[in-house]
Amino acid sequence: MWPVMLANASMPLLGLVDTAVLGHLDDSVYLAGVALGSSLMAFVFWGFNFLSMGLSGFTSQAYGARNAALLRTQLAQYSLVALLLISLVLALHPWLIAAGLNFMDASNAATEEAQLYLSIRVWGVPAQIFNTMLLGFFTGMQNTRISLYTVSLAQMVNLVLDVVLVYGFGLTTAGIALGTVLSEYLALTLVLVMLTRTLRRLDPGLDRSLLHQLRAYKAIFNVSASLFLRTFLLLSGFAWFNRLGAQFGNDVLAANAILLTFLTLISNTLDGSAAASEAQVGLAIGRGRTDQLRTVLWTTGLAALALMMIMSLSFAVAGGLIIDLLTGQAQLEQLARQYLPWIMALPLAGGLAFWLDGVFIGARMTQQMRNGVIFGFTLFLCSSLLLPANNHWLWFGFSLMFIGRSFWMLSVFRLHLIPKIRQAKKAP
C-alpha cells in the first residue's frame, strides 16, 4: 500500500514547483494565468481519470480471478477508448480552449497567459491520458511501485526544466507548460517499458472479437459514465471557484491558486489510501474473501484518518512557512495567510470521501460516488449564488462541496456496504 500512497502524496510537488517558480516572479499575472489554465487543463487530466479508476477496478477483479485473457482484453478496450478521446481533444482543442477561457471571464492579462499555457499543454494530452490510464492498470495488478517510480521521475525532470526554462531562458508561463509536457512524455516512456515487461509475464490470450463489438464495451461505459459525470462535476466546482475568485482581481486569484496547491496535496495524499483500497477491495471481492475485505477496510480507513489529522496539524503549524516558500510577493503572502484556516480544516471536514472513492471503485459502486459529488456540488453552487460575494464566503461554499460529498458517501457506506459484510460473516 505504501508505494502508491507515497506516489500520490508526492504528485502535488509538480504543482508546488510551478507555483513556487511563478510566485517568485515580480508580477502575479503569471501565477493567475497558470491557475486559470491549470483549472481548465484539469478537465483533461482528471476528467479522463475515469479511465484509470475504471480499469483499476476491472483489472483488480480479473487479477483476483486469475483471468489473464480478460486482463489483456480489458486493457486493449480501454486503450482504444483512450485513443478516441485523445483524438477528439486534439481535434477540438482550439474551440475548447476559447470556450473555457470565455467562461472563466478573467482579466485580459491573465487570460492571455492562460491561452499561452494551454496552447502548449494541450500537446501533452496523449501522454497525460495514457499515463493516468496505465497507472490504473498497474494499481489493479497490485504493482504500485511503478506509480512511485514514474511520478518521482516526472517530478525531478519537471523541477529542473521549470528552473532552466523560466529563470534560464525567461520563458515564464511557456516554460512552465513546456517543462510539464516534456516530463509527461518521459514518464510515459517508463510506463510503457514496464507495461511491456508485465504483459510478457502474463499468460497469453486476447479476445480480439470483443474489441470490435460495441456491446462488449457496455460494462466499461456503464462504470465510466458515472465516473465521468462525477469527475466532471468536481472539476466544474474547481472551475466555478476560480471563475468567482477571478472577479476579485488577479491577486486574489493568485492567492487562491497558492492555497489550491495545498488542496492538491490533500487530495493526492488521501487518494493514495483510495488507490490502495480500490486495488485491495477489488482483489478481495474477486476472490470472494470477505475476511480479507474487512481487513482492507480497517487498514486503509485508519490510514486515511491518520493522514487527515496529520495534514490538518501540519498546515496549522507550517502553512505560513509553505506560503512564504511559494511566493515572495508580500500581497500574495498576506492574502494566502488570511484564507489559510479554510485549508487547515478541509482534511478533517471532507477527507473521508477520498478514501471512500477507492472503496466504492473496488466494489464497483460508481453510481453512489457520482451521487455524492452531485450532492456536494449542488451545495457549493447554491451557496455561491446565495451567500455574499467575498473570498471567505467563497471558500466556505467550496468546503461544503467536500463536506457534502463525505457525508453522502459515509451514509451509503454504513447503510449498504457494512451490512453486506456482516451478512457474509454470519453465513456458514
Side-chain angles (χ1 to χ4, degrees):
M1 180 174 69
W2 67 266
V4 70
M5 294 181 69
L6 283 177
N8 277 64
S10 61
M11 281 180 67
L13 291 178
L14 291 172
L16 288 172
V17 170
D18 292 349
T19 302
V21 170
L22 295 175
H24 284 85
L25 297 178
D26 56 2
D27 195 330
S28 64
V29 69
Y30 302 115
L31 185 53
V34 170
L36 291 175
S38 296
S39 67
L40 294 175
M41 199 66 200
F43 276 89
V44 176
F45 181 72
W46 294 113
F48 295 148
N49 198 39
F50 70 87
L51 294 171
S52 173
M53 292 187 291
L55 183 57
S56 174
F58 280 115
T59 300
S60 61
Q61 293 195 17
Y63 182 71
R66 296 179 174 84
N67 190 334
L70 182 59
L71 277 173
R72 290 176 177 273
T73 302
Q74 289 173 343
L75 175 60
Q77 288 177 317
Y78 268 90
S79 297
L80 290 175
V81 173
L83 285 172
L84 174 62
L85 293 174
I86 289 169
S87 300
L88 287 173
V89 171
L90 293 181
L92 300 175
H93 82 267
W95 297 276
L96 295 175
I97 292 174
L101 292 176
N102 184 61
F103 169 78
M104 300 306 285
D105 193 26
S107 68
N108 291 336
T111 299
E112 288 178 6
E113 294 300 322
Q115 172 77 44
L116 174 61
Y117 177 82
L118 290 169
S119 66
I120 297 172
R121 279 294 309 275
V122 70
W123 300 109
V125 165
Q128 198 176 69
I129 291 179
F130 269 108
N131 270 332
T132 304
M133 185 195 75
L134 292 175
L135 290 180
F137 171 78
F138 285 116
T139 298
M141 292 288 290
Q142 319 302 304
N143 191 346
T144 54
R145 283 185 172 84
I146 291 178
S147 296
L148 180 59
Y149 301 152
T150 303
V151 171
S152 299
L153 175 65
Q155 287 169 350
M156 288 187 291
V157 171
N158 189 72
L159 188 154
V160 173
L161 289 175
D162 274 359
V163 174
V164 171
L165 294 173
V166 174
Y167 293 125
F169 291 89
L171 293 180
T172 59
T173 300
I176 294 294
L178 182 58
T180 302
V181 169
L182 293 175
S183 65
E184 285 170 341
Y185 277 103
L186 182 60
L188 178 60
T189 301
L190 176 61
V191 170
L192 291 176
V193 170
M194 300 305 295
L195 177 66
T196 302
R197 293 179 180 178
T198 300
L199 293 178
R200 286 174 180 171
R201 292 195 295 267
L202 290 176
D203 292 335
L206 175 68
D207 193 340
R208 297 183 182 276
S209 65
L210 295 179
L211 303 181
H212 311 291
Q213 301 175 18
L214 286 179
R215 67 175 182 273
Y217 292 82
K218 182 178 180 180
I220 293 176
F221 289 134
N222 285 342
V223 171
S224 298
S226 295
L227 291 174
F228 178 78
L229 179 58
R230 168 251 184 204
T231 307
F232 179 81
L233 287 177
L234 274 178
L235 295 171
S236 297
F238 278 84
W240 185 243
F241 175 82
N242 277 320
R243 184 186 189 280
L244 295 178
Q247 309 309 305
F248 306 135
N250 286 342
D251 285 348
V252 171
L253 178 59
N256 283 347
I258 290 172
L259 294 177
L260 284 177
T261 62
F262 286 74
L263 180 57
T264 305
L265 179 61
I266 294 170
S267 63
N268 280 277
T269 300
L270 292 177
D271 274 345
S273 63
S277 63
E278 73 185 54
Q280 295 297 322
V281 166
L283 184 66
I285 292 175
R287 292 177 176 175
R289 293 284 303 277
T290 307
D291 57 334
Q292 183 180 346
L293 179 59
R294 285 195 302 273
T295 301
V296 169
L297 293 176
W298 272 105
T299 303
T300 58
L302 290 175
L305 286 172
L307 288 171
M308 289 160 55
M309 291 185 286
I310 290 171
M311 281 187 292
S312 285
L313 181 61
S314 298
F315 295 154
V317 173
L321 175 61
I322 297 173
I323 290 172
D324 293 342
L325 292 173
L326 293 178
T327 181
Q329 299 180 38
Q331 72 274 19
L332 296 188
E333 292 178 2
Q334 182 180 358
L335 284 170
R337 286 174 181 270
Q338 184 178 345
Y339 305 114
L340 180 61
W342 293 108
I343 291 295
M344 296 177 189
L346 200 54
L348 294 177
L352 282 176
F354 294 97
W355 166 62
L356 288 172
D357 275 349
V359 174
F360 283 22
I361 290 170
R364 291 171 68 174
M365 297 171 60
T366 54
Q367 290 184 346
Q368 292 297 342
M369 286 178 61
R370 175 203 63 198
N371 294 342
V373 172
I374 291 174
F375 180 65
F377 178 76
T378 302
L379 289 178
F380 175 36
L381 185 61
C382 291
S383 69
S384 68
L385 296 175
L386 297 175
L387 295 174
N390 67 61
N391 206 44
H392 271 299
W393 284 113
L394 177 59
W395 273 103
F396 171 76
F398 190 58
S399 299
L400 285 180
M401 183 169 69
F402 296 93
I403 295 170
R405 177 179 159 213
S406 292
F407 174 79
W408 182 281
M409 296 180 69
L410 186 60
S411 299
V412 171
F413 179 76
R414 292 181 61 188
L415 292 175
H416 296 283
L417 194 55
I418 293 297
K420 290 180 181 180
I421 296 173
R422 288 174 177 169
Q423 290 174 4
K425 184 179 179 180
K426 294 178 181 178

